[in-house]
């Protein structure tokens, strides 16, 4: 063969694949690559030969480009090329790929020999694969025959069982028919006895009705006597009630006159209020010392209560979660996550951001159901949150989300429940 008469497509698949691998390894170091190969060179090393095979094959048709690639391969594989020239390389596949790509002296002769060896190895490998495949199929056939024998034996056993079951069912059917005949005879006998019992019951019913009529007449007589007695009793009770009413009116009028004379104010306290106030103060002091453990699940239960109120310390929550983002990105992410939660729970929600050091207020798109407030210039957000909570009536479910200890303490003193930021973030992410 003469130089340039062997194209890459004419080589065996294994040799062609090895050539593509060698080229893909050095492709980023080759100068003056055409546009298609520059894109391939930008791929990861493991993907160049697989995804850029067509582009590399077309590019190697250019002798100048192939020479530049061969130079880079020669620099990286000097030991292999030295062994190739000395005739000490035993890897026919590597030798064929290097001979075709680098084309040292005598490469055509060595290429023919290497290709012959590669084809022989491929044929031997194909024979081994075919033999292994035939052996697997033989094993599968034997296994299938064994399974077929087992299935036949199982079916035979099932058929024997079905036969025995049919015999047993036939015997039970005969017994059931015999019992049916006995039941029919018993039913006839029971019908006859029932007719006799009905006749006896009619006689007894006639006697009972006669007795009922006699007792009804006796009851009517007794009711007439009782009515006469109730009339006398009602007259005496009405007389006693009139006397008692006169005494009661006298006492009430005397009490009202005494209150006017002494100018007594209405009562505004009860004996148990002092004890209740003491207990309330003790509980408030204990609660102010620590934030109760409120997790995402408990927070959602609070928000589902009727007319729940949620106040969020905006930057306190966003900075604890997205500290690496800008303030604008933090506001956007927090408000975007709050929208579905408020829509699901229906809680009245206000998010307060600190604007004490800002002269202007940035434009903010609040989701439906969420109110957004910036504290006035010179006033921190903690003060605004405290005023919002203290404006709520005692007894309403008010939740304040913040990790600031002062905000938590003021909220608890106002009767609200302090919630750590992690609980709200966990609920938003859930």
């Amino acid at each position: 063969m003469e130089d340039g008469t062997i194209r890459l497509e004419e080589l065996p698949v294994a040799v062609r694949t090895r050539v593509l691998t060698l080229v893909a390894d050095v492709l980023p170091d080759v100068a003056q690559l055409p546009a298609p190969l520059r894109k391939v060179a930008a791929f990861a090393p493991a993907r160049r030969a697989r995804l850029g095979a067509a582009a590399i094959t077309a590019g190697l048709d250019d002798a100048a480009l192939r020479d530049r690639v061969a130079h880079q391969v020669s620099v990286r594989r000097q030991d292999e090329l030295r062994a190739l020239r000395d005739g000490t390389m035993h890897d026919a596949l590597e030798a064929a790929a290097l001979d075709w790509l680098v084309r040292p002296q005598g490469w055509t002769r060595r290429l023919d020999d290497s290709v012959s060896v590669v084809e022989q190895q491929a044929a031997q490998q194909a024979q081994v694969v075919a033999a292994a495949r035939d052996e697997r199929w033989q094993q599968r056939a034997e296994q299938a025959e064994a399974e077929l024998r087992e299935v036949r034996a199982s079916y035979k056993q099932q058929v024997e069982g079905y036969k025995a079951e049919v015999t047993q069912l036939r015997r039970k059917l005969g017994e059931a028919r015999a019992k049916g005949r006995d039941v029919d005879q018993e039913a006839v006998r029971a019908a006859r006895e029932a007719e006799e019992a009905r006749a006896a019951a009619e006689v007894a019913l006639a006697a009972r009705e006669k007795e009922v009529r006699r007792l009804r007449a006796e009851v009517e007589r007794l009711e007439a006597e009782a009515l006469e007695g109730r009339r006398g009793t009602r007259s005496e009770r009405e007389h006693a009630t009139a006397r008692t009413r006169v005494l009661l009116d006298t006492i009430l009028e005397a009490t009202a006159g005494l209150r006017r004379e002494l100018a007594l104010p209405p009562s505004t306290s009860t004996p148990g209020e002092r004890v209740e106030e003491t207990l309330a103060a003790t509980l408030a002091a204990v609660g102010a010392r620590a934030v109760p453990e409120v997790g995402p699940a408990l927070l959602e239960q609070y928000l589902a209560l009727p007319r729940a109120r949620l106040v969020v310390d905006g930057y306190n929550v966003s900075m604890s979660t997205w500290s690496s983002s800008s303030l604008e990105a933090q506001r956007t992410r927090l408000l975007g996550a709050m929208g579905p939660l408020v829509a699901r729970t229906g809680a009245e929600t206000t998010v307060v951001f600190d604007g004490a050091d800002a002269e202007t207020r940035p434009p903010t798109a609040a989701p439906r159901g969420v109110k957004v407030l910036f504290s006035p210039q010179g006033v921190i957000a903690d003060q605004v949150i405290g005023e919002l909570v203290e404006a709520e009536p005692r007894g309403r479910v008010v939740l304040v989300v913040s990790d600031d200890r002062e905000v938590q303490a003021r909220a608890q003193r106002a009767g609200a429940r302090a919630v750590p930021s992690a609980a709200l973030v966990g609920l938003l992410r859930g």
Side-chain angles (χ1 to χ4, degrees):
M1 298 181 183
E2 297 179 357
D3 188 3
T5 60
I6 303 177
R7 300 185 63 193
L8 181 60
E9 294 86 346
E10 299 174 0
L11 297 176
V13 176
V15 178
R16 190 162 62 247
T17 302
R18 183 56 186 164
V19 171
L20 292 175
T21 303
L22 293 174
V23 175
D25 290 340
V26 302
L27 201 58
D29 300 329
V30 178
Q32 300 178 1
L33 288 175
L37 288 182
R38 284 200 297 272
K39 295 181 179 179
V40 174
F43 294 164
R47 302 176 60 194
R48 292 174 196 153
R50 177 167 53 86
L51 300 180
I56 294 174
T57 301
L60 291 178
D61 290 338
D62 184 358
L65 176 62
R66 180 183 53 75
D67 290 341
R68 293 196 298 274
V69 173
H71 174 70
Q72 295 297 332
V73 173
S74 300
V75 171
R76 292 194 180 187
R77 303 199 174 263
Q78 295 179 5
D79 295 340
E80 290 84 347
L81 287 173
R82 188 179 301 109
L84 181 64
R85 296 189 186 95
D86 297 341
T88 58
M89 178 175 286
H90 302 293
D91 188 348
L93 178 61
E94 186 76 11
L98 290 175
D99 273 330
W100 186 89
L101 186 59
V102 181
R103 302 191 178 184
Q105 184 177 2
W107 69 275
T108 55
R109 175 182 53 79
R110 289 194 302 271
L111 180 62
D112 290 339
D113 296 339
S114 300
V115 167
S116 300
V117 173
V118 170
E119 291 177 343
Q120 292 176 2
Q121 292 176 349
Q124 293 175 357
Q125 184 176 4
Q127 292 177 357
V128 171
V129 172
R133 182 174 61 254
D134 293 341
E135 184 177 356
R136 288 197 301 272
W137 281 112
Q138 181 66 25
Q139 293 176 353
R140 291 181 180 179
E142 294 176 355
Q143 183 179 1
E145 290 178 357
E147 292 177 353
L148 180 60
R149 288 193 296 270
E150 293 178 358
V151 170
R152 286 177 176 174
S154 176
Y155 285 165
K156 184 176 180 180
Q157 184 177 2
Q158 290 181 3
V159 169
E160 295 295 333
Y162 291 154
K163 290 181 179 179
E165 186 176 355
V166 168
T167 301
Q168 184 178 4
L169 291 175
R170 287 177 177 174
R171 184 176 66 255
K172 290 182 178 179
L173 178 60
E175 295 175 354
R177 288 175 178 174
K179 290 182 179 179
R181 289 192 295 269
D182 296 340
V183 169
D184 292 341
Q185 295 175 0
E186 184 68 24
V188 172
R189 184 170 60 254
R192 185 171 58 251
E193 293 177 354
E195 184 65 23
E196 296 174 353
R198 187 178 64 82
E202 290 178 352
V203 173
L205 180 60
R208 183 65 57 85
E209 289 179 351
K210 182 179 179 181
E211 181 66 17
V212 167
R213 286 193 296 271
R214 186 186 67 79
L215 293 175
R216 187 174 295 166
E218 184 68 18
V219 168
E220 291 176 354
R221 184 182 65 80
L222 294 175
E223 286 180 349
E225 295 178 356
L227 179 60
E228 187 66 25
R230 282 199 300 272
R231 288 175 180 172
T233 303
R234 184 182 302 113
S235 177
E236 295 178 0
R237 187 167 60 248
E238 290 176 352
H239 180 66
T241 301
R243 291 167 54 194
T244 304
R245 181 63 182 271
V246 170
L247 292 175
L248 181 60
D249 291 342
T250 303
I251 294 173
L252 291 177
E253 291 177 1
T255 302
L258 182 60
R259 175 173 291 179
R260 287 194 302 271
E261 183 178 352
L262 298 178
L264 295 177
S267 177
T268 59
S269 62
T270 60
E273 284 186 354
R274 179 173 298 178
V275 177
E276 294 172 354
E277 292 175 356
T278 303
L279 291 175
T282 303
L283 293 176
V286 173
R289 289 194 294 269
V291 179
E293 293 296 332
V294 177
L298 183 56
L299 175 58
E300 186 164 14
Q301 293 179 9
Y302 281 134
L303 293 177
L305 294 175
R307 298 190 60 80
R309 179 80 163 94
L310 177 63
V311 181
V312 181
D313 191 348
Y315 286 140
N316 185 276
V317 175
S318 64
M319 289 183 178
S320 67
T321 308
W322 306 291
S323 58
S324 60
S325 302
S326 64
L327 293 181
E328 181 179 0
Q330 292 180 22
R331 289 195 303 271
T332 302
R333 295 184 68 175
L334 176 60
L335 295 177
M338 290 293 297
L341 174 63
V342 175
R344 184 173 70 252
T345 60
E348 181 183 350
T349 303
T350 302
V351 181
V352 182
F353 293 105
D354 198 335
D357 299 329
E359 297 181 356
T360 60
R361 298 294 178 263
T364 304
R368 185 174 182 179
V370 179
K371 299 177 183 177
V372 179
L373 294 179
F374 286 89
S375 63
Q377 187 175 5
V379 179
I380 62 175
D382 299 1
Q383 181 65 26
V384 176
I385 293 173
E387 293 176 358
L388 290 175
V389 175
E390 291 167 354
E392 295 294 335
R394 292 274 182 168
R396 185 181 185 184
V397 178
V398 180
L399 305 165
V400 178
V401 181
S402 178
D403 289 333
D404 191 301
R405 294 295 181 86
E406 295 183 1
V407 174
Q408 294 172 353
R410 183 170 179 179
Q412 289 176 325
R413 288 194 299 271
R417 180 174 293 276
V419 179
S421 300
L424 177 60
V425 173
L427 184 58
L428 296 178
R429 290 177 175 174

